Amino acid sequence: MTQWPPINVTKSYKNMLNFTEIKATTVKADPFPYLYVKNSVSADHIQSLIADFPPLEKGGSFNIDDVSTSERFRRFIELFDSEDFRRIICDKFAVDVMDKPMLATLRGFSRAKDGRIHTDSKTKLITVLVYLNEDWQAETGRLRILRSGTDMDDFVEELFPGPGAMAAFKVTDNCWHGYPSFEGKRQSIQINYLTDSGAKTKHRFFHRLSAKMKSLLR
């Protein structure tokens, strides 16, 4: 993989993220702390980032380091590792992630079995999802913030996974979420701030192993 020089978020790449709107968004507390920003990506960059999304035709998550990407796409993901963005997360969710390891993964295709109700691993402190789809006409495949782990229809909000939408939530025992079954192209970046470096090593290993298995089965 290409090793890009360290990013300086005070320069041109910073304007890919709509920091102003993200900062202005209120965290909702029910049923667990989460926020949703419909246009988290700058209008000047959204189409380019969608075009740069790597072609992933298999289901599951792929480590960003295991996928070839453009420099622009890589720089965009690095913004989530910046002090600026980490400070927003700390302030919004009252969780200190300034020195926590970050993991970035990509999903490009949803299988019919994906989207089942779940909570995230306890090794994850915060989950951030950024959707890079041209539009979303399907009635299914929309992320639901759920009240329980048993009923997909018992939701407080259904989030549109359109171009540049962002969902972020604090990982809690009751952070139930999922989406009604959808099969097809569904592009998203998942950012996780983790408890420690051991958790990052573990997650990266299993994502990489899964990707290799998919490759062998092609």
Side-chain angles (χ1 to χ4, degrees):
M1 299 298 298
T2 303
Q3 295 298 311
W4 310 115
I7 189 172
N8 183 340
V9 297
T10 64
K11 296 184 178 180
S12 60
Y13 289 108
K14 184 177 179 179
N15 65 13
M16 289 190 287
L17 261 183
N18 191 343
F19 279 88
T20 300
E21 186 162 348
I22 297 169
K23 286 180 181 178
T25 300
T26 301
V27 172
K28 299 179 181 180
D30 180 35
F32 54 87
Y34 78 96
L35 62 79
Y36 174 69
V37 185
K38 188 173 182 180
N39 298 299
S40 70
V41 181
S42 166
D44 293 336
H45 293 277
I46 183 60
Q47 290 302 319
S48 296
L49 287 168
I50 290 173
D52 283 354
F53 197 97
L56 301 174
E57 299 177 354
K58 294 287 185 180
S61 297
F62 294 81
N63 294 321
I64 184 64
D65 292 337
D66 296 333
V67 179
S68 295
T69 65
S70 67
E71 179 178 4
R72 174 173 48 210
F73 195 87
R74 183 61 58 119
R75 294 303 195 184
F76 177 69
I77 288 179
E78 287 178 351
L79 288 173
F80 298 93
D81 202 17
S82 68
E83 180 178 350
D84 302 59
F85 191 81
R86 285 174 177 267
R87 178 57 61 193
I88 292 174
I89 293 298
C90 290
D91 293 344
K92 293 289 186 186
F93 294 100
V95 175
D96 186 0
V97 299
M98 295 307 295
D99 297 317
K100 297 298 184 181
M102 187 198 87
L103 178 69
T105 55
L106 305 178
R107 283 180 174 264
F109 187 87
S110 175
R111 300 161 293 189
K113 68 178 183 178
D114 291 334
R116 295 173 181 171
I117 298 173
H118 66 285
T119 59
D120 281 9
S121 164
K122 291 183 178 180
T123 58
K124 299 175 180 178
L125 299 170
I126 299 288
T127 294
V128 180
L129 299 165
V130 180
Y131 296 99
L132 292 177
N133 301 295
E134 287 284 357
D135 197 0
W136 200 264
Q137 298 297 325
E139 291 299 319
T140 59
R142 303 180 185 210
L143 185 69
R144 292 181 176 180
I145 303 298
L146 302 169
R147 293 187 179 90
S148 74
T150 58
D151 188 354
M152 183 69 79
D153 292 324
D154 186 15
F155 60 93
V156 297
E157 189 171 1
E158 186 174 64
L159 308 181
F160 176 71
M166 175 190 291
F169 59 89
K170 184 176 182 179
V171 177
T172 63
D173 290 340
N174 69 322
C175 65
W176 300 106
H177 59 284
Y179 58 84
S181 180
F182 173 81
E183 186 168 6
K185 187 176 180 180
R186 187 178 185 273
Q187 298 184 153
S188 64
I189 300 169
Q190 180 166 316
I191 303 295
N192 288 111
Y193 300 98
L194 305 171
T195 54
D196 53 49
S197 58
K200 182 172 182 176
T201 299
K202 179 180 177 181
H203 284 293
R204 281 167 56 86
F205 171 78
F206 282 110
H207 290 316
R208 183 166 293 159
L209 180 62
S210 177
K212 287 183 178 179
M213 292 298 295
K214 294 185 186 78
S215 179
L216 290 172
L217 292 173
R218 287 178 183 174

